[in-house]
């Protein structure tokens, strides 16, 4: 096999029975290199770029068998499984793929290789060879030991004392140690590709937390670069070439501001230079890394050598003291008030600084006159007893003089020292929490080993071992340095941050051996190298985040040069780093990056604790020395340190992370990484469901948990999308929503249709902003499918309690009685299941979520009490912006023996106690005699039912006879036209009985008069079954209005009415009378809600039930019929 073929995704060896050992048969290669083949290096860098677009990890376990599709299986030993070989590979093939799987890093090695190769060519992939010492231990050591150790540790010891400094270092080191334990567990739980800590956090906590914490880690690394650059400039201008300062301070009080301006100028130049070096080639940074590390190690060795030397020969670094006040030695040459030149006493330069003239009779500063000038040793040595003086803290305020306790001092009358005098002042106030914030960056850098996981020979062994050893080593260095500094150096010199009392020397350098320049030069190169490393690592971290695609607006930073160098991310990093440079103060920048690192470490601990507590099957770290309590302790310690360092910085960092989290949640790309937050959600859901199983919810906790039954067309599109609009408008209750539908057939035949239907429904749910679940089932018939949904939707205590369905507008036109019978069965099943039922009529006229009603009313017709759902629903609707401006009106029906006035008062009180605002009206319904129209409508309804049963109409005949009985028009003219039409029909069809003739005509009538016409009914409009004799008698009848007695006489004239089912007559009478009243009051209402009567217990009359509901709701625009579930859903109690 050629060399180039080893690097193709398609060239992974795949042995089959019957094939040669090299995967070829009869001399022909089974795998050919085509234009579509992808270099494995490029594929592993961007696995999501190729394939089906679904985010996947670059693992041989995930969809890795796609490369074998097209390779024909020709073996016979496993013929039983040959049809599944495209999805389930043979074990030998899988193991072969695992052996050839290489985890490559997106680190600087690849960029360096790309730069060395002038023309693109494929070269053999070398297995990672870095061990624990080179790959993890030394990089962590280099990143942990740095600028704070050389520039601020002595000052921290002087201010906080040995005891306080020990606690500061111990707390910070304990925090990083616990974080390293958690990180080791995560890093050894499988292969960690390039990306280091960001990869671990994002894959453990999900894209939202991963993106937020990844950006915080990026900002921390960027500000760390700014801190290192500021340290470099401070060493350069303070200790190496002070004369290089551009701005000079004439007034000593302006020295601090002048120094900051110098650092801004030089820092900007330095960041530009370093960014250019990184842009030109990271290989130069890598080659200098060992040099920088050597500088750090030599500087530390020089410190320990200097401490040993002080035991027998302390260095000579005298401090000039006036009384107990420390003097800045750069301002004078001799630490004395006067000196003897020959036999003459002359004043010194120090005298001239405190007095107005060089003469002995000059007027001098009062404190200068009262106190003597003395010299003490700045480094008395480890054998001295200075350690006892440095045990306790000596915090000070800004501008405070550095004074040595124990020296005699006569206080002066002036309240404050003159800043023009050559005293050493404290530049900032010092206190414990502030020192923690400044020190913490010195212990960061523990992620350096995990960031190089792709270069390690055995990452799962090297990362825990190397990181923990590096933390232990650096913790020992810091803790021992605190004790040694406190035991060797005078307290006032420790608190002298910039070494003004020792001629501007670096304080830690005064202790070093053989020369202070070892520390100065070593610390300069160390901080410079650390800054370059930050500018190298931060852009690649940003590039990894951008290429993940979880934050859309950052995708531009995923691009770079042809060799993969993140150019745009480098520019962004340099810009953010410049912000830290403009702050200019190292002491101000350090707490900022402390916040971001602490937040990153906190979430590493959270990830480990979460995975451990959830006990997910995939959580099997090889590093076993962890426990969730340690991770929880580390997380708590990180959070505490954030607020200890700076509570306002902590809040700002949390707000930034929170905003990023919500942005990713709202706009970011959907990723499924098997993260712990999803596992936590599953466990929380399981716990909540088990708790809900204890019993039914209390009335105060009741909310509509909706099951929406949708009808789909032949293309699996939703027929009535306004149902989902209404669902969204009802979700002020924040309950469960399940959108269900039924497909007829078998699942094996229609599983593709199920997926298509679910996708269509979910898309529509997204457009309508309906939050819930989708459930499409396949059943042999629609009735059984709906029954299955009603019975089995939901889980445990999280089940639906309300069914929302659209009224079957064409229930008369369906194929046979199936349409209305399915609906009636559904009503009966919801009643049996004690579930509420909401039926919308004219659903297509309901408003969308974008519409707004500027006024109008929502009318509630409270006829019977069904648990209060009828009153709760309009309240929930009024919370939505569509219905917000609509007023509620509640109507109730009073019988003849009811006290209407008292009913209205009681109802108003009841609504007040329910905290519902609505107008109340009591409608009186007189106990009128049943009208002829009611009898006639009932008669025709029963005749139709009987005819369908007896005649057994064929399918074609029933399609021709699809129009139902309308009977809405009661005007005399239409009645007579109907009579004449029936007579003409019978004349043309003498063999058809007269009753059938009228029935057929009525079924084909298409007139739909308004409700107003229906209200003006006269006895003349009685709709009867006509015969020739009755028509003749009607023509000769007196046209005067009939009295009620006359109407009853007409009833007596119709023998057909005497055979009617009296229960149906009473039901029809109720439907007609209620419809008249409702239309009269609520015809112009935006929405009408009314109680939905239940079907008759005698199932023989189910088909009549649909007619009753049709009559009840005629003439109304939008109707929501409500049937309670049998339990109280609203209460007057708190």
């Amino acid at each position: 096999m050629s060399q180039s073929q080893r690097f193709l995704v398609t060239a992974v060896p795949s042995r089959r029975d019957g094939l040669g050992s090299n995967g070829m048969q009869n001399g022909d290669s089974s795998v050919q290199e085509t234009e579509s083949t992808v270099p494995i290096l490029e594929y592993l860098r961007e696995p999501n770029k190729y394939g089906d677009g679904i985010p996947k990890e670059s693992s041989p376990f995930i969809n890795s068998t796609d490369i074998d599709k097209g390779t024909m299986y020709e073996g016979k030993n496993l013929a039983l499984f040959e049809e599944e070989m495209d999805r389930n590979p043979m074990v030998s093939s899988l193991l072969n793929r695992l052996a050839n799987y290489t985890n490559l890093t997106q680190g600087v090695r690849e960029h360096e290789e790309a730069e060395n190769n002038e023309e693109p060519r494929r070269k053999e992939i070398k297995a990672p060879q870095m061990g624990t010492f080179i790959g993890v231990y030394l990089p962590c050591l280099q990143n942990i030991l740095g600028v704070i150790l050389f520039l601020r540790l002595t000052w921290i010891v002087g201010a906080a004392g040995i005891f306080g400094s020990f606690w500061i270092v111990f707390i910070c080191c304990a925090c990083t140690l616990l974080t390293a334990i958690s990180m080791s567990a995560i890093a050894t739980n499988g292969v960690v590709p390039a990306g280091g800590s960001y990869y671990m956090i994002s894959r453990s906590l999900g894209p939202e937390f991963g993106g937020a914490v990844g950006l915080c880690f990026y900002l921390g690394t960027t500000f760390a670069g700014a801190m290192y650059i500021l340290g470099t400039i401070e060493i350069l201008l303070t200790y190496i070439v002070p004369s290089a300062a551009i701005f000079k301070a004439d007034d000593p009080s302006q020295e601090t501001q002048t120094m900051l301006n110098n650092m801004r100028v030089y820092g900007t130049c330095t960041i530009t230079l370093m960014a250019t070096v990184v842009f030109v080639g990271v290989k130069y940074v890598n080659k200098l890394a060992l040099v920088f590390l050597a500088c750090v190690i030599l500087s530390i060795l020089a410190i320990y050598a200097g401490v040993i030397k002080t035991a027998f020969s302390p260095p000579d670094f005298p401090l000039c003291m006036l009384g107990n006040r420390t003097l800045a030695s750069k301002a004078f040459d001799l630490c004395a008030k006067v000196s003897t030149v020959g036999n003459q006493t002359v004043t010194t330069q120090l005298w001239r600084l405190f007095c107005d003239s060089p003469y002995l009779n000059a007027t001098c500063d009062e404190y200068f006159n009262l106190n003597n000038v003395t010299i003490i040793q700045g480094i008395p040595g480890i054998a001295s007893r200075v350690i006892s003086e440095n045990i306790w803290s000596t915090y000070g305020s800004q501008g405070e003089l550095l004074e040595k306790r124990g020296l005699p001092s006569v206080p002066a009358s002036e309240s404050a020292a003159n800043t023009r005098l050559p005293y050493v002042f404290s530049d900032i106030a010092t206190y414990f929490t502030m020192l923690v914030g400044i020190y913490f960056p010195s212990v960061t850098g523990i992620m350096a080993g995990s960031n190089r996981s792709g270069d390690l020979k055995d990452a799962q062994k090297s990362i825990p071992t190397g990181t923990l050893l590096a933390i232990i080593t650096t913790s020992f260095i810091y803790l021992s340095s605190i004790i040694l500094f406190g035991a060797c150096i005078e307290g006032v010199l420790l608190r002298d941050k910039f070494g003004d009392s020792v001629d501007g020397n670096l304080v830690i350098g005064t202790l070093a051996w053989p020369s202070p320049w070892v520390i100065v030069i070593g610390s300069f190169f160390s901080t410079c190298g650390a800054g370059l490393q930050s500018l190298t690592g931060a852009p690649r971290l940003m590039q990894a985040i951008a290429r993940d695609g979880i934050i859309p607006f950052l995708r531009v930073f995923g691009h770079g040069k042809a060799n993969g160098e993140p150019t745009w991310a480098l520019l962004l990093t340099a810009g953010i780093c410049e912000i830290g440079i403009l702050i200019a103060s190292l002491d101000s920048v350090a707490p900022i990056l402390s916040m971001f690192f602490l937040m990153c470490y906190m979430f590493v601990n959270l990830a480990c604790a979460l995975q451990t507590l959830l006990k997910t099957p995939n959580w099997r770290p090889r590093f076993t020395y962890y426990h969730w309590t340690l991770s929880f302790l580390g997380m708590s310690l990180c959070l505490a340190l954030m607020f200890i360092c700076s509570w306002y910085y902590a809040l700002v960092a949390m707000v930034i992370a929170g905003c990023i989290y919500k942005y990713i949640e709202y706009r970011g790309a959907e990723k499924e990484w098997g993260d712990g937050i999803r596992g936590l959600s599953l466990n929380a859901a399981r716990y909540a469901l088990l708790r809900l199983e204890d019993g039914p919810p209390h009335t105060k906790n009741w909310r509509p948990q909706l099951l929406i039954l949708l009808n789909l067309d032949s293309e699996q599109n939703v027929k009535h999308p306004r149902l989902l609009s209404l669902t969204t408008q009802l979700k002020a209750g924040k309950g469960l929503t399940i959108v269900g539908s039924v497909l007829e057939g078998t699942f094996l035949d229609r599983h593709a249709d199920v997926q298509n239907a679910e996708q269509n429904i979910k898309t529509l749910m997204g457009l309508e902003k309906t939050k819930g679940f989708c459930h499409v089932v396949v059943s042999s018939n629609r009735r059984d499918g709906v029954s299955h949904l009603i019975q089995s939707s939901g889980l445990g205590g999280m089940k639906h309690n309300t069914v929302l369905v659209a009224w079957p507008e064409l229930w008369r036109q369906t194929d046979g009685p199936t349409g209305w019978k399915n609906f009636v069965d559904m009503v009966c099943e919801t009643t049996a299941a004690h579930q509420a039922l909401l039926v919308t009529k004219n659903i297509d006229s309901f408003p969308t979520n974008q519409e707004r009603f500027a006024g109008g009313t929502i009318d509630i017709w409270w006829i019977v009490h069904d648990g209060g759902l009828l009153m709760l629903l309009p309240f929930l609707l009024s919370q939505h912006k569509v219905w917000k401006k609509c007023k509620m009106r509640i109507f109730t029906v009073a019988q003849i023996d009811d006290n209407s006035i008292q009913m209205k008062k009681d109802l108003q009180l009841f609504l007040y106690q329910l905290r519902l605002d609505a107008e109340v009206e009591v409608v009186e319904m007189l106990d009128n005699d049943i009208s002829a129209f009611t009898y006639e409508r009932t008669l025709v309804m029963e005749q139709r039912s009987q005819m369908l049963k007896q005649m057994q109409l064929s399918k074609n005949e029933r399609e021709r006879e699809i129009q139902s009985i309308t009977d809405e028009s009661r005007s005399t003219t239409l009645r007579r036209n109907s009579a004449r039409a029936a007579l003409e029909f019978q004349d043309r069809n003498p063999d058809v009985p007269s009753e059938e003739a009228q029935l057929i005509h009525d079924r084909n009538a298409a007139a739909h008069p308004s409700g107003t016409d229906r209200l003006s009914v006269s006895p003349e409009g009685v709709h009867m079954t006509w015969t020739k004799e009755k028509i003749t008698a009607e023509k000769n009848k007196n046209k005067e209005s009939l009295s009620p007695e006359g109407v009853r006489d007409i009833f007596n004239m119709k023998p057909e009415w005497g055979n009617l089912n009296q229960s149906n007559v009473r039901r029809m009478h109720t439907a007609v009378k209620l419809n008249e009243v409702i239309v009269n009051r609520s015809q112009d209402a935006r929405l009408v809600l009314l109680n939905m009567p239940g079907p008759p217990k005698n199932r023989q009359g189910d088909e009549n039930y649909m007619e009753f509901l049709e009559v009840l709701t005629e003439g109304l625009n939008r109707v929501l019929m409500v049937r309670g579930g049998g339990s109280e859903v609203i209460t007057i109690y708190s």
Side-chain angles (χ1 to χ4, degrees):
M1 189 176 289
S2 64
Q3 184 178 4
S4 62
Q5 285 178 318
R6 298 181 202 165
F7 303 98
L8 300 177
V9 176
T10 57
V12 177
S14 177
R15 297 188 179 183
R16 298 282 194 263
D17 293 343
L19 297 179
S21 60
N22 59 354
M24 300 181 183
Q25 187 177 18
N26 299 327
D28 295 330
S29 175
S30 62
V31 181
Q32 297 295 329
E33 181 181 352
T34 64
E35 294 180 358
S36 61
T37 55
V38 181
I40 193 171
L41 182 63
E42 184 177 350
Y43 174 78
L44 289 176
R45 286 175 179 166
E46 298 181 88
N48 296 341
K49 183 177 178 182
Y50 308 97
D52 55 7
I54 301 174
K56 302 181 182 73
E57 308 296 349
S58 55
S59 166
F61 291 103
I62 301 178
N63 289 345
S64 57
T65 59
D66 293 343
I67 61 175
D68 293 323
K69 291 180 180 178
T71 302
M72 194 66 182
Y73 175 74
E74 299 180 2
K76 298 180 180 178
N77 294 335
L78 298 176
L80 187 61
F81 301 92
E82 63 184 4
E83 292 184 356
E84 299 179 350
M85 285 297 176
D86 57 340
R87 289 177 288 111
N88 303 327
M90 290 188 300
V91 174
S92 59
S93 178
L94 174 65
L95 294 177
N96 190 27
R97 223 168 270 119
L98 284 171
N100 287 274
Y101 175 69
T102 304
N103 175 31
L104 296 178
T105 176
Q106 287 182 339
V108 295
R109 288 179 60 199
E110 299 165 9
H111 301 303
E112 186 177 332
E113 291 173 0
E115 290 173 354
N116 291 330
N117 298 329
E118 296 181 357
E119 57 184 41
R121 65 178 185 271
R122 295 169 182 162
K123 58 185 295 185
E124 184 177 357
I125 297 176
K126 296 180 180 179
Q129 297 295 327
M130 283 192 180
T132 303
F133 185 76
I134 298 295
V136 180
Y137 180 75
L138 290 182
C140 287
L141 211 64
Q142 180 184 2
N143 280 267
I144 295 174
L145 300 172
V147 61
I148 301 297
L149 171 64
F150 299 120
L151 297 184
R152 294 292 183 268
L153 189 59
T154 54
W155 172 69
I156 291 173
V157 174
I162 296 176
F163 186 76
S165 302
F166 191 91
W167 271 109
I168 291 174
V169 174
F170 178 80
I171 292 172
C172 294
C173 291
C175 177
T176 56
L177 180 64
L178 294 173
T179 303
I181 292 174
S182 299
M183 183 195 68
S184 300
I186 298 174
T188 58
N189 186 50
V191 178
V192 179
S197 57
Y198 163 70
Y199 182 92
M200 290 188 295
I201 296 171
S202 61
R203 270 56 177 182
S204 298
L205 293 179
E208 292 85 3
F209 277 109
V213 180
L215 278 183
C216 288
F217 189 50
Y218 164 76
L219 291 174
T221 306
T222 304
F223 276 100
M227 184 189 70
Y228 293 135
I229 293 174
L230 290 175
T232 302
I233 304 304
E234 182 178 316
I235 294 172
L236 178 69
L237 296 181
T238 306
Y239 307 115
I240 299 179
V241 279
S243 59
I246 299 175
F247 303 98
K248 307 290 184 180
D250 297 331
D251 187 354
S253 62
Q254 299 297 322
E255 285 185 359
T256 301
Q257 189 60 41
T258 303
M259 182 64 180
L260 295 180
N261 291 333
N262 285 319
M263 296 188 73
R264 291 185 180 102
V265 173
Y266 277 94
T268 302
C269 296
T270 305
I271 185 65
T272 304
L273 178 62
M274 287 186 175
T276 304
V277 172
V278 174
F279 177 78
V280 169
V282 294
K283 59 183 179 181
Y284 303 110
V285 179
N286 291 335
K287 291 177 180 179
L288 291 173
L290 289 177
V291 177
F292 298 146
L293 179 60
C295 292
V296 173
I297 296 175
L298 288 176
S299 299
I300 293 174
L301 292 178
I303 293 171
Y304 282 109
V307 169
I308 296 173
K309 181 177 179 296
T310 62
F312 51 87
S313 178
D316 183 23
F317 278 99
L319 301 180
C320 186
M321 309 293 295
L322 177 60
N324 63 352
R325 298 177 179 179
T326 309
L327 298 177
S329 59
K330 290 191 295 184
F332 53 89
D333 54 355
L334 182 63
C335 184
K337 293 182 179 181
V338 294
S339 63
T340 303
V341 178
N343 294 326
Q344 186 179 3
T345 301
V346 295
T347 59
T348 62
Q349 192 174 0
L350 179 62
W351 176 284
R352 300 185 187 97
L353 293 174
F354 284 90
C355 302
D356 57 3
S357 70
Y359 303 109
L360 292 175
N361 59 354
T363 303
C364 298
D365 178 78
E366 182 182 3
Y367 188 84
F368 183 77
N369 288 329
L370 296 176
N371 293 275
N372 295 324
V373 175
T374 57
I375 297 176
I376 63 173
Q377 279 298 323
I379 304 179
I382 196 172
S384 65
R385 298 183 178 180
V386 72
I387 188 172
S388 60
E389 301 176 5
N390 294 330
I391 290 180
W392 307 110
S393 62
T394 312
Y395 299 120
S397 58
Q398 183 177 4
E400 183 179 337
L401 292 170
L402 298 187
E403 299 178 341
K404 175 176 170 56
R405 288 174 293 190
L407 283 181
S409 175
V410 179
S413 60
E414 70 268 15
S415 58
N418 190 347
T419 57
R420 293 181 177 272
L421 298 177
Y423 292 120
V424 179
F425 296 92
S426 176
D427 62 331
I428 60 173
T430 54
Y431 44 92
F432 181 83
T433 57
M434 186 269 291
L435 295 179
V436 172
I438 293 176
Y439 173 76
F440 187 81
S442 66
V443 296
T444 59
I446 62 173
M447 301 290 188
S450 62
N451 290 341
R452 302 183 179 214
S453 57
D455 298 327
L456 300 174
K457 185 188 302 183
D458 186 359
Q460 297 191 5
K461 176 183 178 182
S462 297
I463 289 176
T465 306
T467 305
L468 292 175
L469 283 177
I471 292 175
I472 293 172
T473 303
T474 53
S475 299
F476 171 78
I477 291 174
Y478 282 125
L479 292 173
S480 61
S481 296
I482 288 172
I483 297 175
L484 295 177
F485 292 162
C488 296
I489 305 175
E490 184 63 53
V492 288
L493 180 57
L494 288 173
R495 285 180 281 141
D496 186 3
K497 182 189 293 186
F498 302 107
D500 293 331
S501 59
V502 285
D503 294 329
N505 284 304
L506 183 63
V507 174
I508 195 172
T510 61
L511 184 62
W513 181 87
S515 169
W517 286 101
V518 175
I519 297 294
V520 173
I521 300 299
S523 61
F524 175 79
F525 283 112
S526 172
T527 52
C528 185
L532 282 172
Q533 292 288 349
S534 296
L535 288 179
T536 302
R540 282 160 180 78
L541 179 59
M542 171 55 70
Q543 188 181 47
I545 298 173
R547 286 183 173 179
D548 262 347
I550 57 176
I551 305 177
F553 70 86
L554 291 180
R555 288 174 182 167
V556 64
F557 298 108
H559 307 293
K561 294 195 297 186
N563 62 355
E565 188 70 23
T567 307
W568 294 107
L570 177 61
L571 291 176
L572 177 66
T573 303
I576 298 175
C577 197
E578 178 64 19
I579 297 175
I581 298 281
L582 294 178
I583 296 175
S585 173
L586 187 148
D587 300 326
S588 299
V589 173
I592 296 177
L593 66 99
S594 294
M595 293 301 111
F596 293 122
F597 277 119
L598 280 168
M599 184 168 290
C600 178
Y601 296 165
M602 180 177 70
F603 281 102
V604 169
N605 286 292
L606 174 62
C608 182
L610 207 59
Q611 298 279 22
T612 306
L613 289 174
L614 292 178
K615 298 180 180 178
T616 54
N618 192 54
W619 179 248
R620 303 184 302 274
R622 289 190 178 276
F623 180 79
T624 58
Y625 303 102
Y626 71 94
H627 195 268
W628 69 267
T629 53
L630 295 178
S631 300
F632 185 78
L633 179 61
M635 182 183 68
S636 304
L637 194 56
C638 289
L639 184 63
L641 283 175
M642 288 178 66
F643 285 92
I644 286 175
C645 294
S646 175
W647 64 269
Y648 45 89
Y649 279 162
L651 291 178
V652 170
M654 288 182 172
V655 168
I656 292 174
C659 292
I660 298 170
Y661 178 94
K662 295 306 293 184
Y663 177 81
I664 296 174
E665 186 180 50
Y666 179 68
R667 291 290 305 276
E670 293 184 1
K671 300 284 184 180
E672 176 52 58
W673 288 332
D675 51 87
I677 293 298
R678 184 174 178 83
L680 179 63
S681 301
L682 291 173
N683 269 30
R686 171 181 168 273
Y687 175 78
L689 287 172
L690 291 175
R691 290 289 303 271
L692 288 175
E693 194 71 18
D694 293 343
H698 191 272
T699 303
K700 292 184 289 186
N701 295 327
W702 194 95
R703 58 195 65 194
Q705 319 274 23
L706 294 177
L707 168 63
I708 299 94
L709 298 178
L710 297 178
N711 291 328
L712 305 177
D713 58 18
S714 58
E715 300 296 328
Q716 286 81 50
N717 294 319
V718 179
K719 287 184 178 181
H720 302 294
R722 299 290 177 90
L723 267 178
L724 292 180
S725 301
L726 179 63
T727 302
T728 303
Q729 296 157 20
L730 276 172
K731 293 320 289 181
K734 304 295 184 184
L736 172 72
T737 300
I738 302 174
V739 182
S741 188
V742 179
L743 299 180
E744 294 188 12
T746 62
F747 184 74
L748 290 178
D749 296 332
R750 306 206 62 182
H751 65 276
D753 292 337
V754 169
Q755 294 178 353
N756 186 31
E758 288 185 346
Q759 184 60 43
N760 292 340
I761 293 175
K762 289 178 180 178
T763 301
L764 184 60
M765 291 173 67
L767 293 175
E768 298 292 343
K769 298 181 180 179
T770 304
K771 297 184 181 297
F773 308 97
C774 176
H775 191 191
V776 178
V777 299
V778 180
S779 180
S780 57
N781 58 76
R782 179 169 177 80
R783 182 201 178 284
D784 291 344
V786 171
S787 179
H788 294 158
L789 285 174
I790 292 175
Q791 294 178 61
S792 60
S793 294
L795 181 64
M798 200 65 175
K799 293 178 66 70
H800 65 278
N801 54 28
T802 305
V803 178
L804 174 61
V805 67
W807 170 260
E809 302 287 348
L810 305 179
W811 62 273
R812 296 189 184 97
Q813 300 180 16
T814 53
D815 184 12
T818 310
W820 58 262
K821 190 163 184 60
N822 283 346
F823 182 81
V824 176
D825 288 342
M826 182 197 65
V827 176
C828 295
E829 287 178 354
T830 55
T831 303
H834 301 288
Q835 295 174 4
L837 177 64
L838 309 179
V839 180
T840 61
K841 193 171 183 185
N842 302 324
I843 181 60
D844 293 330
S845 66
F846 274 62
T848 64
N849 292 326
Q850 287 71 39
E851 296 181 38
R852 303 288 184 274
F853 286 138
T857 61
I858 300 177
D859 288 359
I860 303 106
W861 284 85
W862 190 24
I863 302 169
V864 295
H865 181 62
D866 59 352
L869 182 60
L870 197 66
M871 297 182 183
L872 183 61
L873 291 177
F875 168 75
L876 296 178
L877 284 175
S878 65
Q879 306 301 305
H880 195 272
K881 51 192 174 184
V882 173
W883 306 90
K884 201 170 189 67
K885 295 184 179 180
C886 295
K887 296 181 179 179
M888 289 172 54
R889 295 193 305 179
I890 296 183
F891 299 88
T892 188
V893 177
Q895 301 299 320
I896 193 170
D897 55 346
D898 291 329
N899 187 340
S900 301
I901 299 175
Q902 187 61 38
M903 280 183 64
K904 185 173 182 178
K905 292 181 179 179
D906 293 342
L907 182 54
Q908 288 174 337
L909 177 62
F910 182 57
L911 291 177
Y912 176 77
Q913 293 173 335
L914 289 176
R915 290 88 67 198
L916 296 177
D917 296 326
E919 298 179 10
V920 176
E921 189 169 343
V922 178
V923 179
E924 295 181 354
M925 284 187 62
L926 300 179
D927 192 10
N928 296 334
D929 292 328
I930 300 175
S931 67
F933 171 73
T934 302
Y935 274 102
E936 190 61 28
R937 184 123 189 193
T938 307
L939 174 62
V940 178
M941 177 184 69
E942 291 191 355
Q943 285 177 339
R944 177 181 179 276
S945 300
Q946 190 65 23
M947 180 181 292
L948 291 177
K949 293 178 181 177
Q950 293 179 357
M951 295 180 64
Q952 296 294 323
L953 296 177
S954 66
K955 180 178 180 181
N956 294 333
E957 290 173 328
R958 280 179 287 174
E959 287 177 350
R960 290 195 301 268
E961 304 296 332
I962 58 176
Q963 265 313 72
S964 65
I965 305 166
T966 55
D967 296 335
E968 285 92 354
S969 175
R970 305 181 196 176
S971 66
T972 305
T973 303
L974 291 180
R975 291 296 181 270
R976 290 175 180 174
N977 290 341
S978 178
R980 285 195 297 270
L983 183 58
E984 292 170 0
F985 183 87
Q986 189 174 8
D987 289 340
R988 293 194 302 269
N989 302 276
D991 297 332
V992 180
S994 59
E995 292 81 3
E996 296 180 17
Q998 178 63 31
L999 178 62
I1000 292 172
H1001 168 71
D1002 291 339
R1003 189 176 295 115
N1004 289 282
H1008 294 278
S1010 65
T1012 307
D1013 297 330
R1014 235 182 0 259
L1015 292 177
S1016 57
V1017 176
S1018 66
E1020 293 180 328
V1022 176
H1023 194 173
M1024 298 184 287
T1025 303
W1026 300 98
T1027 64
K1028 287 183 179 181
E1029 294 78 14
K1030 291 179 181 178
I1031 293 173
T1032 304
E1034 183 67 19
K1035 288 179 180 179
N1036 299 328
K1037 199 166 80 172
N1038 190 352
K1039 301 300 188 294
E1040 297 179 357
S1041 298
L1042 299 177
S1043 63
E1045 289 79 4
V1047 175
R1048 282 193 289 271
D1049 291 337
I1050 293 177
F1051 293 169
N1052 295 331
M1053 287 173 57
K1054 298 180 68 63
E1056 297 93 337
W1057 294 351
N1059 298 326
L1060 293 176
N1061 186 318
Q1062 294 303 309
S1063 175
N1064 286 342
V1065 173
R1066 292 195 306 273
R1067 289 170 179 267
M1068 183 62 76
H1069 174 67
T1070 302
V1072 171
K1073 296 298 292 182
L1074 276 176
N1075 180 258
E1076 291 177 0
V1077 174
I1078 294 173
V1079 171
N1080 187 32
R1081 304 295 183 94
S1082 302
Q1083 190 173 19
D1084 297 327
R1086 299 293 189 186
L1087 178 64
V1088 176
L1089 293 92
L1090 72 158
N1091 292 111
M1092 179 180 177
K1097 294 182 180 179
N1098 180 9
R1099 299 299 302 275
Q1100 298 299 325
D1102 284 351
E1103 63 275 11
N1104 301 331
Y1105 175 65
M1106 302 294 291
E1107 191 70 32
F1108 296 145
L1109 296 181
E1110 193 74 62
V1111 172
L1112 181 62
T1113 57
E1114 279 177 349
L1116 299 174
N1117 184 20
R1118 303 183 190 93
V1119 182
L1120 183 59
M1121 291 182 282
V1122 180
R1123 181 161 175 77
S1127 60
E1128 292 291 333
V1129 302
I1130 194 168
T1131 178
I1132 64 175
Y1133 300 104
S1134 61

